[in-house]
């Protein structure tokens, strides 16, 4: 069986390709919804939850994993580092598949690049009084801390109960929580920015798959500044394409049905 570390659109696409070739796939996801998507893509089994070095090693042993395909989010560097290390220690073949970066070109002064969420939060509230974050609930705390008493923080998160609960835990008001599943069109992005009176957008450089291109286009057309959290450097040396992964897997015929 092959383990696919997922939770992304790319993971679903890889699962579809490999399942069509007859491979048995165990897919991981952080949320139940992510697990449902993986199952719909053709995964044989689903494992929902976070992983540490011990649980990942146990999963590999228990399920007799022959190879690991890491198709996690480009900002989830901790799991990528962990998976590569566990595979090296256990002698399991490891493939890192990551979505490509977008080329974000714009007029000077419209994009502001930062290296951390804390830096992004500080800069965003210097640029405007109504900030919309589209970086998820897990990295929301720095923005809550940076917001001034007369400023407003609007958060756009996935419509998951855990995401909304985290927003509420940090003090976000229901009127400032936009729980929607993206990516969004330019038209919808502009409508949301206008409806909430947004003055500054904060995003990650999560590629076209993550909707950063339409988000940026909408913001630029409305002449809104965008603070972008730089993508972290990949902790592994090689990024594999789906075609490259499939080629190697086909060379190991015993991986197909075990």
């Amino acid at each position: 069986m092959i383990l696919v570390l997922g939770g992304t659109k790319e993971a679903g696409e890889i699962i579809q390709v490999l399942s069509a070739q007859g491979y048995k796939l165990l897919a991981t996801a952080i949320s139940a919804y992510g697990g449902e998507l993986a199952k719909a893509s053709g995964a044989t089994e689903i494992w929902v939850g976070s992983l540490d070095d011990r649980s990942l090693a146990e999963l590999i042993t228990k399920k007799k994993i022959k190879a690991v395909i890491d198709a996690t989010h480009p900002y989830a560097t901790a799991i990528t580092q962990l998976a590569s290390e566990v595979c090296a220690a256990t002698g399991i073949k490891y493939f890192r598949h990551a979505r490509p970066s977008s080329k974000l070109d714009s007029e000077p002064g419209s994009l502001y690049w930062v290296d951390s969420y804390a830096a992004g939060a500080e800069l965003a509230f210097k640029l405007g009084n109504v900030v919309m974050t589209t970086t998820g609930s897990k990295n929301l705390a720095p923005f809550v801390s940076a917001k001034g008493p007369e400023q407003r923080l609007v958060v756009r998160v996935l419509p998951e109960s855990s995401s909304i609960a985290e927003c509420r835990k940090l003090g976000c008001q229901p009127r400032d929580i936009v729980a929607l599943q993206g990516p969004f069109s330019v038209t919808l992005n502009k409508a949301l920015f206008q409806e909430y009176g947004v003055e500054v957008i904060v995003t990650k450089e999560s590629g076209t798959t993550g909707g950063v291109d339409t988000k940026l286009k909408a913001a630029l057309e409305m002449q809104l500044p965008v603070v972008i959290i730089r993508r972290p450097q990949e902790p592994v040396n090689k990024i594999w394409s789906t075609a490259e992964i499939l080629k190697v897997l086909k060379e190991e015929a015993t991986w197909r049905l075990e």
Side-chain angles (χ1 to χ4, degrees):
M1 181 172 283
I2 296 171
L3 175 62
V4 180
L5 302 176
T8 60
K9 182 178 180 181
E10 291 79 10
E13 292 171 348
I14 287 176
I15 291 169
Q16 286 181 334
V17 171
L18 296 186
S19 63
Q21 294 289 325
Y23 291 98
K24 289 186 176 181
L25 305 168
L26 170 60
T28 69
I30 293 296
S31 67
Y33 176 64
E36 292 171 5
L37 293 178
K39 188 70 174 178
S41 295
T44 311
E45 296 182 36
I46 305 298
W47 195 94
V48 177
S50 57
L51 290 164
D52 56 23
D53 54 351
R54 180 177 178 180
S55 59
L56 179 56
E58 289 178 349
L59 191 62
I60 288 173
T61 301
K62 181 179 179 181
K63 295 297 183 178
K64 298 180 180 180
I65 299 300
K66 303 296 184 180
V68 173
I69 301 174
D70 176 5
T72 54
H73 197 278
Y75 284 75
T77 52
I79 184 61
T80 292
Q81 182 71 48
L82 171 64
S84 63
E85 292 175 353
V86 169
C87 286
T90 56
I92 300 297
K93 183 65 178 179
Y94 171 83
F95 302 95
R96 171 59 171 149
H97 178 80
R99 69 180 58 164
S101 298
S102 298
K103 292 184 178 180
L104 303 181
D105 299 322
S106 69
E107 297 177 3
S110 56
L111 298 187
Y112 298 82
W113 294 85
V114 295
D115 294 317
S116 68
Y117 294 97
E122 182 179 355
L123 176 58
F125 282 108
K126 287 181 179 179
L127 293 172
N129 290 318
V130 182
V131 173
M132 174 180 278
T133 64
T134 63
T135 55
S137 60
K138 292 183 179 180
N139 305 293
L140 192 56
F143 296 92
V144 174
S145 299
K147 182 179 75 70
E150 302 301 323
Q151 294 179 312
R152 184 183 185 188
L153 174 63
V154 180
V155 297
R156 200 165 85 185
V157 297
L158 290 173
E160 291 272 4
S161 58
S162 58
S163 297
I164 296 172
E166 181 65 16
C167 293
R168 296 292 288 128
K169 178 183 176 182
L170 291 171
C172 298
Q173 297 301 311
R175 69 185 182 90
D176 294 329
I177 301 173
V178 183
L180 292 172
Q181 173 76 53
F184 308 111
S185 65
V186 173
T187 300
L188 181 51
N189 272 307
K190 291 174 71 172
L192 288 171
F193 299 161
Q194 184 174 9
E195 177 66 24
Y196 285 88
V198 175
E199 298 176 7
V200 184
I201 313 299
V202 182
T203 185
K204 293 183 286 190
E205 200 290 276
S206 51
T208 301
T209 302
V212 71
D213 54 337
T214 53
K215 191 187 310 178
L216 178 61
K217 182 174 175 58
L220 294 179
E221 286 184 2
M222 296 178 67
Q223 298 184 325
L224 298 175
V226 182
V227 176
I228 305 177
I229 313 296
R230 282 191 180 91
R231 181 181 293 200
Q233 183 177 356
E234 282 285 343
V236 296
N237 294 326
K238 180 172 175 56
I239 305 300
W240 295 74
S241 69
T242 301
E244 289 173 329
I245 294 172
L246 186 58
K247 181 177 183 296
V248 174
L249 294 182
K250 285 183 175 180
E251 293 171 355
E252 296 286 347
T254 58
W255 292 356
R256 183 178 298 277
L257 298 175
E258 292 187 3

